[in-house]
Amino acid sequence: MARRPRLLPAVGTARNLLGASLEGILTGSVADGSAGLPLVLVACSGGTDSLALAAVAAHLVHTGRARVGAVVVDHGLQPDSHAIAERAAGAARTLGLDPVHVYRVEVRREGMGPEAAARSARYAALDDAAVTLGASAVLLGHTLDDQAEQVLLGLARGSGTRSLAGMPARRGLYVRPFLELRRADTEAICGFYGLEPWHDPTNLDPAFARSRVRAEVLPFLEDRLGPGIAQALARSARILGQDADHLSELSHRAYTGMRIEGDDGEVLLPEDGLRALPAALRQRVLALAALELGAFQPSAERLRAAESLLERKGSAGPVQLGGGVSVNRQVRGRSVLRGEPGYGNLVLGNNGAGVKKSRRPTQE
């Protein structure tokens, strides 16, 4: 009788990480039938990380803890993207995942860079698949190395706490169980299962900042500062993530408490209330108002310009926050709020053509 191959330590670790990340979703016991089991979807590109995740997630099927399917998004950005997507789907089916769907999307730039545009199209497809199939979670294969790269990119852009916190382990339906695994671990897992991943050529294309960080910057830092840089960056992301979550909660609470609805759909923020807030919360409250009205995340420079209106005397502004959203200090003699006209509020409105007001922001 042939001996079963010894379990690779990385596989055992990955299974434990996956189980912990899906706590509260998995049944925790072997079921007689699969009809009532939760459905978990793997976002599978066919690359090393996502194939390793698909292989580890398949263990949930074998142990009767969940149904596991896969979604492959074909961005159409490679000449042979259709064949690459079908190959990834075939690998997922061979691992025992079901259902497996290929979504073909059109990547529209619309003022975004190529990476951001592809990401937007990808998440739209994953959102649709999760709703259509009734998934309880969508698994993403980002690793500790991806997290370290994200932090370095945030530092290079001069980003704030939320961006430097990197990618969350969980947000809504999206779960990243491998944020404590190295890329070398996912390569070993693919080798253990005999999988042949697709290697995206853009990962080494120096035209992309992330590729330069991966191929040049991180290896340089490891060489000059010693090993453990990636782990240290990921650790910083976890710490900053906790800080960002706390600041986000406080700012949402402050915004909800001071937000006033104007007559013409504007959002009014009392100046006294804004001045009483610490700068870290004040800028976040201004950003929440802008986001509610349909803006993209305003830059730090735009938020500081809006904040400077509090230092002006008389009517002032407008300051443009993007997406047709502007902010000004309330004009004397014009009542945008039911009641007496006068100063005392920053007024945010959206005059952008064709831009619809968004829903009230919710806690991230």
Side-chain angles (χ1 to χ4, degrees):
M1 182 177 178
R3 297 178 61 184
R4 297 180 60 184
R6 186 175 181 180
L7 185 67
L8 188 73
V11 173
T13 300
R15 288 177 180 177
N16 290 336
L17 289 171
L18 177 60
S21 69
L22 294 176
E23 185 177 1
I25 294 177
L26 302 180
T27 62
S29 61
V30 177
D32 294 332
S34 63
L37 293 177
L39 173 64
V40 175
L41 296 176
V42 178
C44 186
S45 66
T48 303
D49 300 335
S50 65
L51 269 188
L53 179 57
V56 172
H59 184 66
L60 300 176
V61 178
H62 304 324
T63 55
R65 302 179 69 192
R67 294 177 294 136
V68 180
V71 178
V72 181
V73 179
D74 177 5
H75 300 85
L77 299 177
Q78 304 284 344
D80 53 351
S81 65
H82 174 71
I84 294 169
E86 290 300 332
R87 177 182 169 186
R93 294 187 183 101
T94 300
L95 288 167
L97 274 57
D98 181 54
V100 176
H101 291 278
V102 176
Y103 278 66
R104 294 178 177 84
V105 300
E106 181 180 355
V107 178
R108 299 180 179 179
R109 298 285 290 271
E110 297 179 350
M112 294 183 284
E115 290 179 283
R119 183 169 56 250
S120 177
R122 179 167 60 254
Y123 277 100
L126 293 174
D127 286 344
D128 181 64
V131 172
T132 301
L133 299 173
S136 298
V138 178
L139 305 180
L140 305 175
H142 298 112
T143 65
L144 184 148
D145 295 82
D146 295 309
Q147 188 75 297
E149 294 161 10
Q150 187 78 4
V151 174
L152 282 177
L153 288 168
L155 286 169
R157 290 191 297 262
S159 302
T161 311
R162 175 57 69 189
S163 181
L164 295 179
M167 298 172 286
R170 181 162 191 163
R171 176 172 291 167
L173 286 176
Y174 292 98
V175 180
R176 296 179 174 90
F178 283 2
L179 287 181
E180 295 181 29
L181 282 186
R182 299 300 303 270
R183 191 168 290 128
D185 293 322
T186 60
E187 292 171 352
I189 291 170
C190 285
F192 177 80
Y193 284 102
L195 301 171
E196 297 183 7
W198 170 66
H199 298 286
D200 186 348
T202 63
N203 287 336
L204 297 177
D205 187 344
F208 297 99
R210 182 178 293 277
S211 300
R212 296 195 297 274
V213 168
R214 176 174 299 182
E216 301 174 25
V217 179
L218 263 178
F220 175 82
L221 292 175
E222 293 274 0
D223 178 62
R224 295 304 177 94
L225 299 179
I229 296 300
Q231 292 92 329
L233 290 168
R235 185 165 58 250
S236 295
R238 285 195 298 272
I239 295 169
L240 288 169
Q242 295 170 351
D243 294 345
D245 288 342
H246 183 60
L247 288 169
S248 181
E249 180 181 350
L250 292 176
S251 59
H252 275 80
R253 193 182 304 165
Y255 179 59
T256 302
M258 71 172 60
R259 178 193 181 279
I260 303 171
E261 186 83 30
D263 286 343
D264 301 320
E266 296 99 339
V267 171
L268 280 68
L269 299 175
E271 292 183 6
D272 289 343
L274 287 171
R275 289 194 185 98
L277 293 174
L281 295 186
R282 186 162 55 243
Q283 292 179 9
R284 283 173 166 80
V285 166
L286 288 167
L288 287 172
L291 291 170
E292 178 181 354
L293 291 167
F296 296 111
Q297 176 64 42
S299 68
E301 290 76 15
R302 291 291 84 201
L303 290 174
R304 283 198 296 270
E307 190 179 18
S308 71
L309 295 175
L310 297 171
E311 303 168 6
R312 305 283 292 275
K313 294 183 178 180
S315 59
V319 172
Q320 301 298 326
L321 296 179
V325 177
S326 62
V327 54
N328 59 271
R329 192 162 185 261
Q330 189 168 339
V331 180
R332 185 186 300 278
R334 175 177 178 266
S335 177
V336 294
L337 172 68
R338 296 177 181 87
E340 294 298 321
Y343 298 121
N345 300 294
L346 292 190
V347 183
L348 292 92
N350 190 334
N351 298 315
V355 180
K356 296 181 179 179
K357 184 176 177 181
S358 69
R359 294 177 295 174
R360 185 79 62 86
T362 55
Q363 181 69 38
E364 292 182 350

